[in-house]
Amino acid sequence: AMLTRTSRLVSGARRARHGEQHEGLHYNIPLQDMRTLFPHSLPPRFSMQVKTFSEACLMVRKPALELLHYLKNTNFAHPAVRYVLYGEKGTGKTLSLCHVIHFCAKQDWLILHVPDAHLWVKSCRSLLPSTYNKQRLDQPAEASIWLKNFKTTNERFLSQIKVQEKYVWNKRESTEKGSPLGEVVEQGIMRVKNATDAVGVVLRELKGQSSLGGFRLLVAVDGVNALWGKTTLKREDKSLVAPEELALVHNLRKMVKNDWHGGTIVLTLSQTGSLFKPRKAYLPQELLGKEGFDALDPFIPILVSNYSPKEFESCIQYYLENSWLQHEKAHTEEGKKELLFLSNANPGQLERLCAHL
Amino acid sequence: MAAATLPAWLALQPAARTLRAFCTAVSPATRSAIPSPRTAGRTSRYERPLRRKALPPRTEKMTVDLDWPSVYPVAAPFKPSAVPLPVRMGYPVKRGVPMAKEGNLELLKIPNFLHLTPVAIKKHCEALKDFCTEWPAALDSDEKCEKHFPIEIDTADYVSAGPSIRNPKARVVTLRVKLSSLNLDDHAKKKLIKLVGERYCKTTDVLTIRTDRCPLKRQNYDYAIYLLTVLYHESWKTEEWEKEKTEADMEEYIWKNSPSEKNILETLLQIEAAEKNLEVNKEELLGTKEVEDYKKCVVSLKNEGDNEETLSQYKESVKKLLQLM
């Protein structure tokens, strides 16, 4: 079909200047960037799509545009502002977060990305008592995975940032004051036992130093409601572990508090991985609970909703261009109406439906 | 037709054979022709019990404007032949419909109120009017009734045909009162609601006390009044241990000394520190219009729960507060 208006933005360097007029268009992220920025963190269906089309295209949508607008006008001397993306299942919160992360990466911010906080509070094989604080518990496996990914994303900063204190790991190894942060990360990756403490150190250093202004810090956490919910982890004596007893969770909670400046915190709420929450819950108070809300207050809630008609049209065009929709009726008006009705303009549902066609 | 209405026993007489033939010719819904073995011997004719033909159901003769209370004057089981409605009831088999009303046990099992149609009730009311007194003319609106008689007592009397006139259900007494008509201050009202628990309805502001622990209605009524008096007096008193009320006990969200207040104060102090305004008063910070706005939004968010409106108001107030635009 001849398309008079392509659904793609062919912008290269103009990526930073997404504005209102670009709403509904797709833009391309080069695969090189994908590997550095998102080594582990895309939703599984989206990464399958990326592989199939051999290109990563995100749609520019209102919530992301709003966030970018705020980010451009942030005052970095003020304490970090927290933005919470919330919405029903499948509306595009994680991908909006990815859009924001990509934008910040292009602007040379340091990205601290936790792809899914729910992974840290459930199904952990190895729980060790913490070496740093006896009452807390370590998760070496998750911590080391995160450190590896952090290294991939922020290679160039690791040599620039210097630690400000001396950290002693054990009798033989220690990191001196003034050595680059990369050493701490290496230490954590090599000595898996110290991985959780390494994560704690990294977070603390970044928080302290971003206020000095050497770099801008973006803290992006997906599924932040896991930090204040319940866990399914048990100790050897089968007693339940509360989230604050996990060292990773404790440090991350400190990170999303707004007592530092020089950056921003963007969070998403997610019911999909959450424990003990009803399936239809998507509002902030329902998912965060009283504790979470009090901890994150004041924050800016941003609703991510289903596709508007223009966005829906654009998404269908994108699939058609990539010859993803093979059904002969897919590009007719009736076909589109049927798809709209079946998916109710929900991006996740639409993607699943189109996968069958 | 005379032939059709002849009782069956007449047909026994041999002379009526011609009449029977006449019957079969005239009315189609005749009894089945008894086969010729009848002629064999007289004895068989007397032994075999003769059956009357099933008459057409009563519903076919019913007109639209008949007097229904005379069909069902009292509570009676469902008679499919007497109810002209095409009711169906039952779980359908696959690709089928629920069972029809003829011979339907489900319709028999359930209670029916065919004897209490509005027409029937009107007739009952007309009959009972002779025993009633006039409604006082001064109480012509609900508000006046509320004002002069805030407490409502519900009792039920039961009459049934049986060996005894007693019915244990008759001793139940329900007392209903609106809390707005009682003289309660804020603390007393909260304490009363906590004391009664389930018996208070928030939407209609009605306290319902249902008593049936005494054997007589009079005793239950006295007990209910006593309960109301005790609740009222107790809720006005303040005990020693009430000072230990924690945040988890609070019915609604109070802004003062809440974590939200502390957060916002810290944030604002940090903002001021960044702007290099060192000498800032805490009260001043908390007294600004933006903070007032924010406070209202947080309180409404916590008390009413999340919905689009409260969330968007909260968002606007936070944006103004943190000077984002």
Side-chain angles (χ1 to χ4, degrees):
Chain A
M2 293 306 296
L3 298 160
T4 49
R5 174 175 151 272
T6 53
S7 66
R8 302 275 176 98
L9 264 189
V10 202
S11 70
R14 283 183 294 134
R15 213 170 284 119
R17 274 176 263 137
H18 284 157
E20 284 286 324
Q21 70 275 25
H22 296 135
E23 186 187 323
L25 304 177
H26 286 85
Y27 85 99
N28 202 341
I29 308 183
L31 282 174
Q32 185 61 24
D33 286 350
M34 293 298 286
R35 268 195 293 271
T36 27
L37 284 179
F38 306 118
H40 50 172
S41 42
L42 291 174
R45 291 195 75 94
F46 185 69
S47 44
M48 281 196 289
Q49 188 181 311
V50 168
K51 224 163 48 171
T52 320
F53 294 166
S54 55
E55 63 175 4
C57 264
L58 284 184
M59 197 196 288
V60 177
R61 292 180 71 194
K62 246 214 205 74
L65 281 176
E66 210 185 316
L67 253 185
L68 294 183
H69 174 75
Y70 293 140
L71 285 178
K72 282 178 213 157
N73 302 345
T74 335
N75 183 342
F76 291 105
H78 286 182
V81 186
R82 290 171 287 206
Y83 304 96
V84 176
L85 290 164
Y86 70 100
E88 290 184 0
K89 187 171 157 178
T91 43
K93 305 180 281 290
T94 313
L95 285 185
S96 301
L97 191 67
C98 294
H99 186 162
V100 171
I101 293 177
H102 183 74
F103 171 82
C104 293
K106 283 289 149 207
Q107 307 261 308
D108 250 1
W109 292 36
L110 203 159
I111 314 277
L112 195 91
H113 181 44
V114 178
D116 193 359
H118 292 298
L119 291 174
W120 289 2
V121 297
K122 53 182 181 176
S123 330
C124 174
R125 290 298 151 112
S126 48
L127 270 184
L128 303 171
S130 169
T131 41
Y132 181 66
N133 185 333
K134 284 285 164 289
Q135 277 139 2
R136 293 203 216 122
L137 296 167
D138 263 3
Q139 286 156 295
E142 280 86 14
S144 59
I145 297 174
W146 187 81
L147 279 173
K148 284 197 201 88
N149 292 319
F150 179 70
K151 187 171 149 193
T152 330
T153 317
N154 299 306
E155 255 334 321
R156 57 185 183 282
F157 286 106
L158 291 178
S159 41
Q160 282 176 9
I161 305 177
K162 309 274 184 255
V163 287
Q164 297 192 326
E165 280 180 30
K166 181 170 159 163
Y167 296 105
V168 178
W169 304 111
N170 51 35
K171 283 195 216 101
R172 272 165 291 169
E173 292 164 17
S174 67
T175 315
E176 295 300 322
K177 178 170 161 174
S179 49
L181 198 63
E183 267 191 37
V184 175
V185 178
E186 284 302 326
Q187 176 74 24
I189 296 178
M190 281 191 310
R191 294 258 177 275
V192 180
K193 255 186 84 165
N194 295 337
T196 322
D197 292 328
V199 172
V201 165
V202 163
L203 291 178
R204 192 194 303 168
E205 287 297 320
L206 288 176
K207 195 163 154 175
Q209 294 199 11
S210 74
S211 314
L212 302 175
F215 54 88
R216 311 258 180 82
L217 178 61
L218 171 73
V219 179
V221 184
D222 198 345
V224 75
N225 43 320
L227 299 181
W228 287 281
K230 294 195 223 171
T231 67
T232 47
L233 304 175
K234 298 202 175 91
R235 292 198 203 91
E236 280 95 29
D237 55 355
K238 310 274 188 195
S239 58
L240 266 184
V241 174
E244 47 272 352
E245 293 178 11
L246 293 169
L248 280 178
V249 171
H250 180 86
N251 291 328
L252 197 60
R253 276 195 201 177
K254 280 196 280 189
M255 203 65 206
V256 302
K257 225 162 104 77
N258 63 343
D259 50 359
W260 52 279
H261 58 263
T264 357
I265 310 177
V266 182
L267 311 165
T268 24
L269 298 176
S270 152
Q271 193 279 332
T272 322
S274 71
L275 301 160
F276 309 109
K277 290 282 179 218
R279 204 160 63 86
K280 297 279 176 184
Y282 74 96
L283 295 164
Q285 276 201 82
E286 283 170 0
L287 285 174
L288 286 173
K290 190 176 165 319
E291 230 187 288
F293 186 86
D294 285 335
L296 284 182
D297 195 31
F299 62 91
I300 308 230
I302 303 183
L303 173 64
V304 181
S305 52
N306 289 330
Y307 280 150
S308 66
K310 193 167 128 187
E311 291 171 346
F312 181 81
E313 210 31 65
S314 158
C315 188
I316 299 276
Q317 293 292 2
Y318 174 64
Y319 285 141
L320 283 172
E321 271 174 15
N322 285 29
S323 323
W324 186 235
L325 297 173
Q326 292 293 333
H327 199 274
E328 57 280 353
K329 292 238 190 79
H331 55 90
T332 57
E333 271 309 311
E334 281 161 30
K336 284 185 204 155
K337 267 192 234 163
E338 202 173 313
L339 281 173
L340 179 64
F341 176 72
L342 281 174
S343 63
N344 194 20
N346 183 303
Q349 266 307 82
L350 183 64
E351 199 264 316
R352 284 197 162 89
L353 281 173
C354 295
H356 293 301
L357 290 174
Chain B
M1 290 292 260
T5 52
L6 265 180
W9 56 269
L10 265 184
L12 278 174
Q13 298 166 28
R17 202 168 301 167
T18 45
L19 215 53
R20 197 187 318 138
F22 190 57
C23 273
T24 45
V26 157
S27 59
T30 44
R31 49 197 178 271
S32 55
I34 302 171
S36 46
R38 172 185 283 266
T39 52
R42 257 193 199 211
T43 44
S44 57
R45 210 182 294 152
Y46 288 109
E47 283 166 20
R48 189 169 304 150
L50 268 175
R51 244 182 352 163
R52 266 203 295 193
K53 257 290 109 19
L55 296 170
R58 190 172 160 183
T59 54
E60 291 184 17
K61 287 190 224 140
M62 282 182 172
T63 55
V64 175
D65 53 352
L66 64 77
D67 180 33
W68 184 258
S70 58
V71 178
Y72 265 86
V74 288
F78 181 84
K79 297 176 209 138
S81 56
V83 176
L85 305 167
V87 187
R88 287 186 174 269
M89 181 154 172
Y91 190 83
V93 292
K94 271 200 201 138
R95 311 182 60 192
V97 290
M99 273 179 60
K101 64 176 176 177
E102 281 87 18
N104 196 332
L105 192 60
E106 300 295 321
L107 284 168
L108 276 178
K109 288 196 279 193
I110 55 170
N112 69 66
F113 290 95
L114 295 159
H115 56 291
L116 290 177
T117 50
V119 181
I121 295 189
K122 258 208 188 92
K123 284 195 180 165
H124 295 330
C125 288
E126 290 300 325
L128 286 174
K129 260 204 170 60
D130 298 333
F131 302 99
C132 296
T133 55
E134 283 280 331
W135 183 260
L139 290 177
D140 47 2
S141 73
D142 274 336
E143 288 85 21
K144 285 194 194 157
C145 294
E146 278 285 330
K147 196 171 121 205
H148 295 286
F149 300 98
I151 303 184
E152 295 179 31
I153 309 278
D154 296 327
T155 46
D157 291 300
Y158 297 84
V159 172
S160 64
S164 116
I165 57 165
R166 313 282 173 205
N167 190 325
K169 290 196 273 192
R171 67 181 202 275
V172 173
V173 170
T174 308
L175 184 143
R176 272 177 302 139
V177 67
K178 273 213 172 151
L179 286 193
S180 44
S181 43
L182 295 174
N183 178 19
L184 296 166
D185 76 345
D186 189 42
H187 158 264
K189 185 165 178 188
K190 286 196 179 141
K191 186 165 174 186
L192 187 85
I193 294 176
K194 271 211 185 330
L195 280 172
V196 299
E198 283 272 318
R199 299 175 187 80
Y200 174 70
C201 169
K202 234 188 172 139
T203 34
T204 56
D205 193 34
V206 166
L207 168 66
T208 316
I209 300 179
R210 190 171 180 267
T211 40
D212 64 345
R213 57 168 66 181
C214 307
L216 291 184
K217 191 188 298 184
R218 199 189 325 168
Q219 296 169 345
N220 277 317
Y221 170 74
D222 290 335
Y223 181 59
I225 300 286
Y226 161 75
L227 275 183
L228 185 63
T229 329
V230 162
L231 279 170
Y232 180 75
H233 289 296
E234 281 302 313
S235 63
W236 269 101
K237 294 189 215 158
T238 313
E239 302 279 343
E240 276 289 320
W241 41 263
E242 281 186 43
K243 285 191 217 105
E244 293 159 25
K245 193 173 180 188
T246 61
E247 207 185 314
D249 293 323
M250 297 282 180
E251 294 86 9
E252 49 178 22
Y253 187 72
I254 304 182
W255 166 262
K256 220 163 133 38
N257 296 336
S258 70
S260 181
E261 197 190 8
K262 292 193 202 90
N263 283 349
I264 198 72
L265 193 57
E266 270 171 34
T267 320
L268 284 174
L269 280 173
Q270 278 171 9
I271 296 183
E272 297 300 326
E275 306 280 330
K276 309 279 187 285
N277 299 342
L278 291 166
E279 289 301 317
V280 193
N281 199 344
K282 276 198 197 157
E283 275 73 27
E284 230 181 73
L285 270 183
L286 288 179
T288 52
K289 194 170 146 313
E290 283 96 20
V291 177
E292 279 296 317
D293 206 22
Y294 173 75
K295 169 172 148 189
K296 257 187 272 181
C297 294
V298 171
V299 168
S300 75
L301 200 62
K302 289 259 178 177
N303 282 342
E304 290 164 36
D306 295 332
N307 54 35
E308 286 308 315
E309 215 187 289
T310 43
L311 277 173
S312 54
Q313 275 173 359
Y314 176 72
K315 185 171 161 187
E316 294 305 313
S317 71
V318 173
K319 275 201 321 213
K320 278 200 210 90
L321 203 54
L322 302 176
Q323 295 152 25
L324 282 176
M325 233 316 123

